[in-house]
Amino acid sequence: MVRERTRRAELTVDELNAYIQGLFNSDLLLKALVISGEIAEFKRHTSGHCYFTLLGTDTRISCAMFRRDADLLPEWPRNGDQVLIEGSVGVYPQRGVYQLYARRLIPVGAGAIERARQELKRRLELEGLFHPSHKRPISPYPSRVAVITSATGAALRDVLRISGRRYPLSDIVVVPTLVQGPDAPEDIVRAFARAGAMSGVDCVLLVRGGGSREDLVPFDDERVVRAVRNCPFPVVSGIGHEVDSTLSDLAADLTASTPSAAAEVVFPDRAALLAWLAQVRQRVGGSARRRIGVERARCRLALEGMERALKLRTGTERSRLHEGLRALSRSMTLRLRDARSELSTRAASLSGLSPLAALARGYVIAEREGRRLFSVREALSGAALSLCFRDGRADCLVRAIAPFDPPNEGALEER
């Protein structure tokens, strides 16, 4: 016995607790699990941490929830409530005990579920998360729609069937997600993140088929509700049956009673659109024809008025033109008469001054060598002269010259 003891390793208490803690940490199941049970001895410490016991049928386990997770815990937990707890199992070395470290509490049972839902609803209403001013309009003719739902559920088949029948022009992008169970809220939040990162999306459909009220708990989760409100695209929800209502419905921009109703809200009816377009075409055509008739009548009246005005203006201008021509004719006649009179006067004056007139009265012009003579002294004896008469010329020789006496010379020169 002594030899056997010496061969065993000797551990301190701290080493033993550390070893056991390592065993817990290395077990994947204990690091992330979901435990169901009944809450007992629930207490919220002044530090913000929560401590309680989770009861099974024959056993129990101590539980702790740290402040960072407890701050998101609503006021609903009560002793005796059935819950699902997400968390991990670990060792608390200071006391040498193991316990369940809870990250999230999920109510089970109608009473606990409704209390949790109402408490979260009041808190989110105080934030204004459900206020109508936050609601965004839905595109009447969506070209691309993201559908967040189960890839194998009946809700997706209903959406695809209705979209194909009503508005096949729209592109449907399926964003698969869990819609039931404790892992559903986190998966739905990731689905909204993927849909929000897409481009060209006009609308997001969040749909789930019918089920029990407990099956719709993920859509009352605060993380899902905030993801709906923070989605960059308008969200239309169609969750459960007609009588069901979730907090995600309140956060959505538009709510329908069922997935099929949500699809009918988002996708316009092609047949109704075609009928409406035919009516619009008929109304527009009739309106255009009436407008064309009115404008044609206005143009005809305007043209007739222009023709009348043109005729009046033409007649007035023609009269003015004729009057102007008559005035011009009278003025020209007077000017011509005055000009003729003046011409006659000037012609008479010129005729009186003409050398031909003097020749006609008997005067003669004497020239020697082409130069006109103005004095008898210029006619030298024996010189050849040329005498110009009214009706001809005579050449002669000067035999002698006889100047006049001085008194007569002046008279002769003046003459």
Side-chain angles (χ1 to χ4, degrees), residues 61-136:
I61 185 173
S62 297
C63 304
M65 177 176 279
F66 295 125
R67 180 177 177 176
R68 63 176 180 272
D69 299 315
D71 286 342
L72 300 177
L73 189 67
E75 298 294 336
W76 60 266
R78 297 178 184 177
N79 293 332
D81 284 346
Q82 292 290 327
V83 295
L84 291 177
I85 297 180
E86 292 183 9
S88 61
V89 177
V91 174
Y92 184 47
Q94 287 78 0
R95 292 186 180 180
V97 297
Y98 77 93
Q99 58 185 6
L100 176 63
Y101 293 95
R103 290 189 295 270
R104 189 163 68 98
L105 270 65
I106 304 172
V108 177
I113 291 174
E114 187 59 23
R115 287 201 311 274
R117 180 174 176 274
Q118 291 301 326
E119 192 279 331
L120 180 60
K121 179 182 177 181
R122 286 192 295 272
R123 181 156 56 86
L124 296 180
E125 281 178 340
L126 291 176
E127 292 184 21
L129 199 70
F130 306 139
H131 198 274
S133 62
H134 297 320
K135 307 300 181 182
R136 295 164 292 188

Side-chain angles (χ1 to χ4, degrees), residues 167-248:
Y167 198 67
L169 297 177
S170 182
D171 181 23
I172 307 298
V173 182
V174 179
V175 185
T177 182
L178 296 174
V179 293
Q180 184 175 336
D183 295 328
E186 189 173 352
D187 205 35
I188 295 173
V189 171
R190 286 195 295 266
F192 268 103
R194 293 196 299 273
M198 296 178 182
S199 61
V201 174
D202 296 307
C203 177
V204 175
L205 265 174
L206 176 63
V207 293
R208 185 203 188 282
S212 65
R213 190 62 186 83
E214 288 78 4
D215 293 337
L216 303 182
V217 169
F219 298 95
D220 289 323
D221 188 281
E222 183 175 358
R223 294 170 296 175
V224 175
V225 177
R226 294 189 182 278
V228 171
R229 186 65 271 158
N230 294 330
C231 181
F233 309 115
V235 178
V236 177
S237 65
I239 301 169
H241 300 292
E242 294 185 2
V243 295
D244 296 324
S245 177
T246 66
L247 298 184
S248 293

Side-chain angles (χ1 to χ4, degrees), residues 131-171:
H131 198 274
S133 62
H134 297 320
K135 307 300 181 182
R136 295 164 292 188
I138 308 301
S139 174
Y141 309 108
S143 59
R144 196 179 196 197
V145 176
V147 182
I148 298 178
T149 188
S150 171
T152 59
L156 177 59
R157 293 194 295 272
D158 290 342
V159 170
L160 295 178
R161 174 177 53 82
I162 292 174
S163 65
R165 172 174 55 84
R166 290 174 63 89
Y167 198 67
L169 297 177
S170 182
D171 181 23

Side-chain angles (χ1 to χ4, degrees), residues 349-377:
S349 299
L350 290 175
S351 179
L353 298 175
S354 174
L356 296 178
L359 295 176
R361 291 196 301 270
Y363 290 94
V364 176
I365 298 174
E367 294 180 349
R368 186 176 64 120
E369 297 177 354
R371 185 173 63 85
R372 186 174 299 176
L373 301 180
F374 293 95
S375 173
V376 71
R377 294 181 177 86

